[in-house]
Amino acid sequence: MTAIVDPIKKIIRLFMQQIAKALNKLFGGKISPNFITVFGLLAHIPIVYFIAQGQLKIAGILLIIFGLFDTLDGELARLQNKESAYGQLLDSITDRIKEVMLYSGIAFYFVSEQMPDMAIFCTIACGGALLISYINAWGEATLKSSMHKEQKNKLFRGGILPFEVRITVLILGLLLLRIDISIFIIAVLGWVTVLQRLQNVLKSARTHA
């Protein structure tokens, strides 16, 4: 999965670097990365609305557009030399809020479509997504290690279904009108990722404690 995801992430990052440069020039350097982060979060409100109303393709298209904001704010912060713990925390929290919003909207859609069993899978998927992030945050904040940042990312942010892949699976499900399959995949593979990250963190804890 990493062999597929990493090249795509690099292409997206190169593209968003150009967008960040254009925005920074257009607004004279006055547009803040945190503004982009919050705007991306607020943009998910109509996405959730369209999902709840059963307009899945429109929601999928909007999720493609505003999902890119997760990369744009970071590129803008690097361009303006404004990378900070505050910005990283805001970015991480808003990502989790987005996922809760999306899974809630999808659960509402399933209930309205007389598919209550799939709404349960939404809860399972959402719980797995939050735990994936929690394990990563706990590992990076708690373990005392001499590892470089890249090594920590590889250990604590790996697994078969990181955030970018989960969103991609959701987008495909929305566009193909098979959001039920997407949720099932995330519910199952998300918990596989939880176990993968937990194993990595526990192994690192034994080695570097």
Side-chain angles (χ1 to χ4, degrees):
M1 183 66 72
T2 302
I4 298 175
V5 175
D6 285 349
I8 295 176
K9 289 172 66 175
K10 288 181 181 179
I11 293 173
I12 292 175
R13 182 176 179 182
L14 289 173
F15 175 70
M16 297 314 293
Q17 284 176 349
Q18 299 307 312
I19 299 295
K21 290 178 181 178
L23 279 176
N24 193 56
K25 183 177 181 180
L26 179 64
F27 290 94
K30 295 181 180 180
I31 186 169
S32 126
N34 292 336
F35 172 82
I36 296 295
T37 302
V38 174
F39 183 81
L41 172 64
L42 295 177
H44 278 63
I45 295 176
I47 294 175
V48 173
Y49 171 80
F50 285 122
I51 291 174
Q53 295 300 311
Q55 300 185 52
L56 303 185
K57 288 189 176 181
I58 296 176
I61 293 171
L62 291 177
L63 192 54
I64 291 174
I65 296 171
F66 293 109
L68 294 174
F69 277 55
D70 291 317
T71 304
L72 179 59
D73 55 3
E75 294 304 325
L76 190 61
R78 278 184 281 273
L79 180 64
Q80 298 178 347
N81 293 318
K82 290 184 178 180
E83 292 182 280
S84 65
Y86 175 87
Q88 292 173 356
L89 176 63
L90 180 65
D91 184 60
S92 180
I93 290 176
T94 54
D95 282 348
R96 305 293 76 77
I97 295 174
K98 291 172 190 176
E99 288 201 271
V100 172
M101 290 169 61
L102 290 170
Y103 294 127
S104 298
I106 295 169
F108 182 92
Y109 166 75
F110 284 141
V111 172
S112 66
E113 292 293 315
Q114 307 301 315
M115 301 168 65
D117 291 346
M118 289 307 304
I120 296 174
F121 277 98
C122 281
T123 303
I124 296 172
C126 186
L130 295 178
L131 268 178
I132 289 171
S133 175
Y134 175 79
I135 292 171
N136 168 57
W138 189 92
E140 290 189 345
T142 306
L143 296 180
K144 295 179 179 180
S145 170
S146 60
M147 292 184 296
H148 294 297
K149 181 179 179 181
E150 292 77 9
Q151 292 175 305
K152 290 184 178 181
N153 287 347
K154 184 177 180 180
L155 273 178
F156 304 147
R157 299 187 183 183
I160 195 171
L161 215 67
F163 175 71
E164 297 87 353
V165 178
R166 296 196 299 274
I167 295 300
T168 300
V169 172
L170 283 180
I171 290 172
L172 290 174
L174 292 169
L175 294 178
L176 298 176
L177 303 180
R178 292 313 306 261
I179 192 63
D180 54 333
I181 295 178
S182 290
I183 288 298
F184 182 79
I185 291 173
I186 294 172
V188 174
L189 297 186
W191 281 88
V192 172
T193 307
V194 168
L195 295 176
Q196 288 176 319
R197 290 198 178 184
L198 181 59
Q199 182 183 29
N200 287 339
V201 170
L202 291 177
K203 181 179 179 180
S204 181
R206 288 192 296 267
T207 304
H208 299 94

